[in-house]
Amino acid sequence: MKIIAADVIVTSPDRNFVTLKITTDEGITGLGDGTLNGRELSVASYLADHVVPLLIGRDPHRIEDTWQFLYRSAYWRRGPVTMAAIAAVDVALWDIKAKAAGMPLYQLLGGASRNGIMAYGHASGRDLPELFDSIRRHLEMGYRSIRVQTSVPGINAVYGVAAQPSVDGRRYDYEPAQRAALPAEEDWDTRAYLRHLPGVFEAVRSEFGPELPLLHDGHHRMTPIQAARLGKALEPYDLFWLEDCTPAENQEALRLVRRHTTTPLAIGEVFNTVWDYQTLIREQLIDYVRSAVTHTGGITAMRKLLDFAAQYQIKSGIHGPTDISPVGMAAALHLDLAIHNFGIQEYMRHGQATNEVFRQSFTFSDGYLHPGELPGIGVDLDEEAAARFPYQAAYLPFNRLKDGTVHDW
Ligand code: CS2
Ligand code: MG
């Protein structure tokens, strides 16, 4: 079998997506997600201008060799753009191999290790009544694990709170990247947040009881000692995890957090390779790996990362917001079903227009996702529909502190 074509498809149904479609001389096609929120065109160009010419004529079955070729022959390694481009190729090749084998990808990855994939959804509110309503709505939608994000008195706009107005009029929780010529500036005050949050979880526990798995995303905004303080203050509320409590480029920073709290820690959605995790995993400084298949070099690299984490009883918590396309989500679900050290899967639902462009076979019921039984990853892309939604510039917001200092968003 030979690769005869590779097309980079950029579409913007409810938000921008970059998809690679590889076609073989036997008529089998494979899809891969290369969406990098707010920087989509950089991956599209990396693929179209630099990678596609290298794929034509190759044997699509040589996945590991192609991965190593793309990673090493580029000379310039790692980073979000490179690893998203490699991920798009890798997942498309796994899609082709599984279709050629006539089986769903998870079977090729060793078969199912569980019956379903526990998913968590995003509840949020500007105040407690709105938050409680959002949690109830997610329970009615079938979620059995809930991420809780709230507004903070004294701060105008906080990550992840749905009802906040956005500059382009769309619901905030659905898509943080706003269609605009420039990124929106938001404000932040960590001390106000640290004063407010424990009370929110106290109220949620007294309203919904001790069993409901609750998650929270600190979204990279605290210093290590602030993260330690929050982790400790949240211990009575038994969180499933506290995510991205502090920027982790300096992996050792988590030693300080770990020293002070037993609240489980999840990190990694902005990481791109196993090397970003070496100290975190070897020193048991985290409990969940948050990388996305789309941003970490695909199935080939993610499986190696999760195998490494498994040696340290660290589990998966794959990133699954709306800026991971249905192709990237499907790839993650096949991995989730096959690996042993599965923890939980993030699941933000895509919009109607996106579901028109990407026909998916994965299912969600009673709290559990399943990738389906179709050969390959189980997602098709309707190119005519995709062409109806041209790319639109969009940026994630950024933060400034009261004194004007730029801060992590
Ligand atoms: C968030 C993401 O889902 C999450 O855990 O951290 O929504 C993140 O803000 C976006 O993926 C950024 O593009
Ligand atoms: Mg996050």
Side-chain angles (χ1 to χ4, degrees):
M1 198 191 290
K2 289 254 175 298
I3 295 175
I4 56 169
D7 304 300
V8 180
I9 300 155
V10 179
T11 181
S12 194
D14 298 294
R15 52 143 298 116
N16 298 322
F17 294 114
V18 173
T19 306
L20 179 70
K21 177 183 173 188
I22 293 180
T23 304
T24 70
D25 57 357
E26 294 182 14
I28 301 179
T29 61
L31 297 178
D33 178 27
T35 305
L36 190 62
N37 208 2
R39 297 290 184 275
E40 294 88 355
L41 297 183
S42 61
V43 181
S45 163
Y46 191 106
L47 285 166
D49 300 328
H50 302 295
V51 170
V52 165
L54 307 178
L55 298 176
I56 308 305
R58 289 187 70 88
D59 175 354
H61 280 301
R62 299 180 64 178
I63 302 179
E64 179 71 31
D65 179 64
T66 300
W67 196 97
Q68 297 297 340
F69 170 64
L70 293 176
Y71 184 75
R72 296 175 192 281
S73 73
Y75 193 66
W76 312 108
R77 300 175 181 191
R78 303 168 71 178
V81 176
T82 299
M83 300 318 288
I86 293 177
V89 176
D90 186 77
V91 170
L93 296 182
W94 277 107
D95 193 14
I96 288 169
K97 188 180 278 290
K99 284 177 179 170
M103 59 177 78
L105 177 55
Y106 76 83
Q107 291 291 13
L108 218 53
L109 298 173
S113 292
R114 53 200 54 78
N115 307 322
I117 296 159
M118 170 58 81
Y120 73 88
H122 290 195
S124 66
R126 287 169 294 186
D127 53 32
L128 286 179
E130 198 172 83
L131 173 62
F132 290 176
D133 286 350
S134 178
I135 294 174
R136 287 192 194 94
R137 248 197 336 275
H138 280 79
L139 293 172
E140 282 153 20
M141 285 196 278
Y143 287 97
R144 297 290 170 266
S145 300
I146 306 282
R147 188 188 81 166
V148 167
Q149 306 290 136
T150 70
S151 292
V152 175
I155 301 179
N156 299 319
V158 176
Y159 161 74
V161 180
Q164 280 166 181
S166 64
V167 289
D168 60 7
R170 289 179 299 161
R171 277 179 59 91
Y172 190 105
D173 72 328
Y174 177 58
E175 177 46 62
Q178 298 161 30
R179 290 171 172 162
L182 293 172
E185 179 177 325
E186 298 184 349
D187 57 337
W188 179 250
D189 177 347
T190 307
R191 297 187 66 247
Y193 165 76
L194 291 177
R195 282 194 301 274
H196 181 65
L197 202 71
V200 171
F201 276 92
E202 183 182 14
V204 171
R205 276 291 177 225
S206 67
E207 181 75 15
F208 293 94
E211 285 163 19
L212 181 63
L214 296 176
L215 303 84
H216 179 70
D217 194 340
H219 225 255
H220 326 272
R221 293 169 184 218
M222 291 167 272
T223 63
I225 198 66
Q226 290 169 332
R229 176 180 153 195
L230 181 64
K232 203 168 182 58
L234 294 177
E235 282 174 9
Y237 313 116
D238 183 26
L239 266 64
F240 184 94
W241 79 33
L242 171 60
E243 177 186 340
D244 284 329
C245 58
T246 189
E249 291 96 322
N250 167 25
Q251 299 180 44
E252 293 159 7
L254 274 298
R255 290 178 184 154
L256 183 62
V257 182
R258 209 52 152 180
R259 207 175 303 144
H260 292 283
T261 181
T262 57
T263 291
L265 302 175
I267 280 184
E269 71 179 48
V270 296
F271 288 172
N272 324 107
T273 68
V274 64
W275 290 284
D276 298 322
Y277 286 95
Q278 277 190 318
T279 303
L280 294 173
I281 290 178
R282 253 203 328 255
E283 296 185 17
Q284 308 278 175
L285 299 176
I286 60 171
D287 305 286
Y288 296 92
V289 165
R290 276 288 283 150
S291 273
V293 171
T294 298
H295 297 144
T296 315
I299 293 276
T300 300
M302 269 293 276
R303 198 163 57 160
K304 292 175 185 175
L305 166 58
L306 291 169
D307 286 347
F308 173 43
Q311 311 314 315
Y312 296 83
Q313 288 95 26
I314 294 171
K315 298 188 172 186
S316 71
I318 296 182
H319 192 211
T322 43
D323 49 290
I324 297 291
S325 86
V327 173
M329 174 59 88
L333 298 182
H334 284 279
L335 198 54
D336 283 332
L337 200 65
I339 58 174
H340 179 253
N341 56 327
F342 169 77
I344 198 166
Q345 171 67 51
E346 178 179 16
Y347 178 43
M348 273 182 91
R349 295 156 183 251
H350 289 102
Q352 201 190 335
T354 298
N355 296 337
E356 272 169 41
V357 172
F358 296 93
R359 289 191 296 279
Q360 305 138 48
S361 60
F362 59 75
T363 57
F364 176 64
S365 75
D366 196 22
Y368 292 90
L369 288 158
H370 192 283
E373 301 300 338
L374 289 182
I377 63 173
V379 178
D380 276 331
L381 187 149
D382 180 331
E383 292 182 60
E384 266 175 44
R388 289 204 302 271
F389 304 101
Y391 170 81
Q392 295 187 51
Y395 286 96
L396 285 166
F398 73 103
N399 271 336
R400 282 193 186 279
L401 303 178
K402 281 208 177 73
D403 68 1
T405 307
V406 169
H407 190 71
D408 301 286
W409 176 77

